Structure formats: structure tokens, C-alpha cells
Amino acid sequence: MSSSQEIDPLTTSEKIDRSLRRFLPRSLWGRSMLIVLVPLLVTQTIVLALFYGTYLHLVSRRLSSGVTGEIMLVAASISMPLSDDLRAQRLRDEGDITRLKLCYLPAQRLTREGTNHIFGPIDDVFARTLRQRLGRPFFVEWFPRQHVVNVMIQMPDGILGILVPSKRLSIGPIWVFVVWVLSTSVLLFVIAGIFMRNQVRAVRRLAQAAELFGLGRDAGAIRPQGAREVRQAAVAFNRMRARVNRFVAQRTSILAGVSHDLRTPLARLRLSLAMLPTKGTVQAEDIQADVVDMVQDLADMERLIESYLSFARGEGAEKPVLTDIRSVLDDVAVAAERSGGRVLSVSGEAGQEVLIRPDAMWRALNNLADNARRHGGDIRLGVRLTQRWVEITVEDAGKGLSPERLRYAEERLAAGERPGSGLGLTIVRDVVQAHGGFMRLGHSELGGLSVMLSLPR
């Protein structure tokens, strides 16, 4: 492709979409009101069209047909040659019957034909009915203020004048219906605007709370308001805020615990270095015990730092896969035995696959096994599958915890805090919670501590 080739122009739909965006409102409230306004206008337009095109036209045609029939009877009764007295008598009689005001202008000719137009289809319908059924020249003049219609018909020797009350041709003031339609539309639009403003206010409050929380100015939990979806978003935000605050509190507690947990081995190292001779000849056998102690202190520091790093890394990057949970326990048992522990048994049926993060679960179980090795030496591992849960148990033969300390540790774990000076149980708790499960502490039949991990299947 040459560098001089031009970029393809926008398609017609993209141009139309871009043009419409310039006129569309950008706020949620404006677009919501536009969604309400457009169907409302279309509906009212259809109503007016049906009223004028169907109902009003039909009623006007029927009324015009009735009045035209009476006019035809009057015109037929005086169409033959009559004396003036007889014609006047018939006009009086016909007027009393039809409730029309009749007059006759002899030797007169019409200067205009048709009708003077007024608002609405009534005049056209009446004129068309007269033209179709009467068969004579005529002129219809409407007087809206006087509420009468003057119909002048050309007769052979004069003009027949008829005054018709306009209420006999119309169904009522048209503007009443128009005002009613417009007023209801405005009322509905205002009510919709009030409701939409309340919904938008809840969304704005949620957006403002999220913005402040992102800037580090936590304004507290927001009260769920508005529609169900907006309330769900507010509840989800409050839960996210609590999780983030708990996460920050945990990390802050970990950073604060670094200096505390490393202070003891550092102090022992400093003391051991201070006790070493600085003059003369030193025999290796004389400082062998001090070197062993310093190496142990370094190992303790390395273990603590590794625990901190493992806790800080988290387990979010690893994807859950179907894993044989019994094989994970076997790997943990092998690692525990290499570290100097003694695994009494590993119970559980092999081949049971569970959706877990294998590396994270291995790290959690290895922490439990390491704690059991250091406190009791003897370890027992087991797994049991129920209908809904996978229950993994790690037991040791140590001294265990008193009921008060056990209850205290469970309360701190439930509150998201460290139950002791180490991070082993804290790391295990985070891994289990990331899998959607929970952890329980208890007394082991071996005499020490029992830790049960319950994971959903």
C-alpha cells in the first residue's frame, strides 16, 4: 500500500450518526427525557391524526348529511312556481319543522359559490355534501362568532337563504381536544422528568462517591437509592469499598509487622556480632555455636520475608483449573517430610478433581503443614468431599491452643486481621476466601491444632 493512498471516507451511516451526536443531549437525564419525549410526541400525533382523519371526519359527514337532507326538503317544496304568499307560508311551516331560519330573495343571483374556510374539516365536508346531493349552485358563509352558518342556494327565480345553527354541524370546540392532548402530554412529560431526575440523582451520587474514593477521600458508605439496578450498583460499590479498605488495612498491618517480626532476629544477630572477639587469634570451634545461631536467625528472617512477599503478591493472576486435590496433599506431605516433619497419614480418595488454583492452594497447605511441623512434628492430612463442599483438614500433635486463644484467633481471622505474629494463617485465609470458601480452627485428636478448609465444589 502506497503512502499516498488516502484513508477510506466515512460511510453514510457513520456520517449520520456523527451529525446526530451534535444535537443529542450528552447527559443521562437529557437522553432519558428524549427517550420519553419522542414516543410521547409520536403517540399524540397518531391520536390527533386518528381524531381528525377518522372520528371527526365521520361525525362531520353524518351531521352534514342530516342538515343537507332538511335543506333539500325545503328547496324541493318551493322549487315549483308559487305565489309569494304561498311560498312565505311554506317557508314558515318548514322553518317551524326543521328549526331553521328561512328566507327567500326573489329575482336575485349568487355572486359567489363554494364556502369560506374555517379551522377544521367541517366546512369542507358540509360543502362537499351539498355539492353531491343538492345539485344547485350555493354559497356557504360561516359566522363563528354568531355561531350560525348562512347557506344561500340559487333557485330558478331567486335565492333561498337558510340560517343553520353551527352546533348542528360541529361536535364542539376543536381547541378543547387539542388543549387536552397538549396539557396531558406536558403533564406526563413533567412527571417523567421528576422521576428521571431522582434516578439520575442516585447515579450522580454513586459517581461522586466513586470519584472521591478514587482520590483517597472516603466519604463512607452510600445509601442505596433509586431503581433496583441503581440500588444494586450502590450495594456493589459499598462492598467493593469495604473490600478495598480491608485490603489496605491488611497491607498496612503487614508493613507495620515487618519491623516488629524482624526486630528479634536482628537484635540477636547484633548481639552475636557484638560478642565476637575483635582482637587476637580466634579458633573456629570457639565461635561455631554463635555461627550456627546466626545462620538460624538468617533462616528465620528469610522465612519471614518470604511469607511477607507471598502474602503481598496475592493469588489473583493464577487461573482456576480442575485439579486432583489428593495429589496436591501428597505433594505437601512430601515437602513436609523433607523439611523434617513426620506425616502420619494422608486420607482421601484419589482422582477427585476440584476447580482450584493449584499453586495458591499448595502454598496455603504448605504453610499449614510447616506450622504443624514446627509446633508438633507429627502431621495428619485429609480431604473429604461432600455434596457442596471440599473439606481439607491439617492436624498436628503439638500443644494446640486454649479455648480462649482459639476463639481469639478465629475472631481476628474473621475480622481480616492477623491472629498472631506470623503470616501463615493469614495467607491461608486469603487463599481460601479467594476460592469462595472459609477456614475453621479446632482441636485435633492428636492433641494439637486442627485447621479445616472448606472450598465450594
Side-chain angles (χ1 to χ4, degrees):
M1 180 182 297
S2 62
S3 59
S4 60
Q5 185 175 359
E6 296 182 356
I7 300 176
D8 293 337
L10 296 175
T11 62
T12 304
S13 60
E14 291 176 347
K15 291 181 180 179
I16 295 175
D17 182 64
R18 181 171 296 182
S19 301
L20 289 177
R21 288 181 182 178
R22 299 176 181 176
F23 302 99
L24 292 177
R26 297 186 179 275
S27 64
L28 176 61
W29 183 83
R31 294 191 176 186
S32 301
M33 295 308 300
L34 186 62
I35 294 175
V36 175
L37 179 62
V38 171
L40 187 62
L41 292 178
V42 172
T43 303
Q44 299 300 345
T45 302
I46 294 175
V47 170
L48 290 174
L50 292 176
F51 177 77
Y52 279 107
T54 304
Y55 177 74
L56 183 61
H57 183 77
L58 177 63
V59 174
S60 299
R61 189 171 66 250
R62 291 178 178 177
L63 294 176
S64 299
S65 180
V67 175
T68 301
E70 295 178 358
I71 293 175
M72 290 176 61
L73 291 175
V74 175
S77 65
I78 63 172
S79 60
M80 61 186 67
L82 297 173
S83 62
D84 295 339
D85 294 338
L86 182 58
R87 182 184 294 112
Q89 181 62 39
R90 287 191 176 183
L91 290 177
R92 285 194 297 271
D93 295 340
E94 296 290 344
D96 294 338
I97 295 173
T98 60
R99 299 296 181 180
L100 301 175
K101 293 183 180 180
L102 308 174
C103 65
Y104 193 80
L105 305 176
Q108 298 289 330
R109 305 295 298 180
L110 288 176
T111 58
R112 296 180 58 186
E113 293 186 16
T115 179
N116 66 325
H117 295 281
I118 61 172
F119 179 73
I122 301 175
D123 56 343
D124 292 332
V125 173
F126 186 46
R128 185 167 55 253
T129 305
L130 288 174
R131 190 176 299 110
Q132 293 174 353
R133 300 182 60 184
L134 190 60
R136 297 175 182 273
F138 66 90
F139 178 72
V140 179
E141 188 174 6
W142 292 76
F143 297 95
R145 294 184 178 180
Q146 288 78 18
H147 305 289
V148 295
V149 181
N150 185 19
V151 182
M152 293 176 290
I153 303 173
Q154 182 65 59
M155 302 301 291
D157 56 350
I159 296 176
L160 175 61
I162 305 172
L163 285 179
V164 181
S166 60
K167 64 181 180 180
R168 296 190 59 180
L169 294 171
S170 65
I171 60 174
I174 299 177
W175 62 268
V176 174
F177 178 77
V178 176
V179 170
W180 177 77
V181 170
L182 294 178
S183 60
T184 54
S185 300
V186 172
L187 179 61
L188 292 176
F189 188 72
V190 171
I191 294 175
I194 295 174
F195 278 99
M196 290 306 303
R197 185 173 293 277
N198 292 334
Q199 302 302 321
V200 172
R201 185 183 296 115
V203 176
R204 288 176 178 172
R205 187 182 296 111
L206 177 61
Q208 183 180 8
E211 180 69 19
L212 292 176
F213 186 72
L215 295 176
R217 299 194 294 268
D218 188 8
I222 60 175
R223 187 178 65 177
Q225 292 180 338
R228 182 178 60 184
E229 290 78 5
V230 180
R231 290 174 178 267
Q232 290 175 351
V235 172
F237 171 79
N238 289 335
R239 291 176 179 173
M240 180 200 69
R241 170 186 164 275
R243 287 195 297 267
V244 171
N245 287 335
R246 184 169 61 248
F247 176 84
V248 173
Q250 289 175 355
R251 273 20 182 202
T252 304
S253 176
I254 294 305
L255 292 176
V258 170
S259 60
H260 178 271
D261 291 343
L262 294 180
R263 188 177 302 164
T264 301
L266 285 174
R268 288 200 300 262
L269 280 173
R270 187 180 295 109
L271 180 61
S272 298
L273 291 174
M275 296 296 293
L276 291 177
T278 58
K279 296 180 181 180
T281 303
V282 179
Q283 297 294 329
E285 293 80 2
D286 297 337
I287 63 172
Q288 181 65 32
D290 295 331
V291 171
V292 172
D293 292 340
M294 287 189 289
V295 170
Q296 183 62 39
D297 289 336
L298 290 174
D300 293 340
M301 293 174 61
E302 183 180 7
R303 180 181 58 81
L304 289 173
I305 293 175
E306 181 62 28
S307 298
Y308 288 131
L309 293 177
S310 176
F311 183 80
R313 280 196 302 266
E315 311 298 339
E318 188 181 4
K319 301 297 182 182
V321 294
L322 287 175
T323 307
D324 186 359
I325 191 66
R326 171 60 188 272
S327 65
V328 177
L329 286 179
D330 292 337
D331 294 341
V332 172
V334 172
E337 289 180 347
R338 288 179 178 176
S339 299
R342 187 176 66 169
V343 179
L344 300 179
S345 64
V346 180
S347 61
E349 184 178 354
Q352 298 286 347
E353 292 188 342
V354 182
L355 190 64
I356 61 174
R357 298 179 177 91
D359 293 341
M361 188 55 60
W362 182 89
R363 185 178 295 113
L365 294 175
N366 190 60
N367 279 326
L368 292 178
D370 188 61
N371 287 339
R373 177 186 61 80
R374 287 186 289 106
H375 290 89
D378 295 339
I379 307 169
R380 187 165 66 184
L381 305 175
V383 59
R384 186 173 69 93
L385 275 69
T386 64
Q387 187 175 1
R388 295 181 55 189
W389 300 95
V390 179
E391 297 179 349
I392 305 172
T393 306
V394 180
E395 302 176 81
D396 63 67
K399 297 181 180 180
L401 299 176
S402 63
E404 293 77 11
R405 291 189 61 188
L406 185 64
R407 184 167 53 253
Y408 173 76
E410 288 182 337
E411 290 176 355
R412 290 183 66 86
L413 283 173
E417 301 175 354
R418 290 193 300 168
S421 60
L423 291 173
L425 292 179
T426 307
I427 294 174
V428 175
R429 179 203 61 200
D430 284 359
V431 172
V432 173
Q433 289 182 352
H435 284 79
F438 57 92
M439 179 175 64
R440 287 179 294 181
L441 304 179
H443 296 285
S444 170
E445 296 179 356
L446 301 178
L449 182 66
S450 173
V451 181
M452 177 179 289
L453 311 181
S454 297
L455 308 176
R457 297 191 59 177

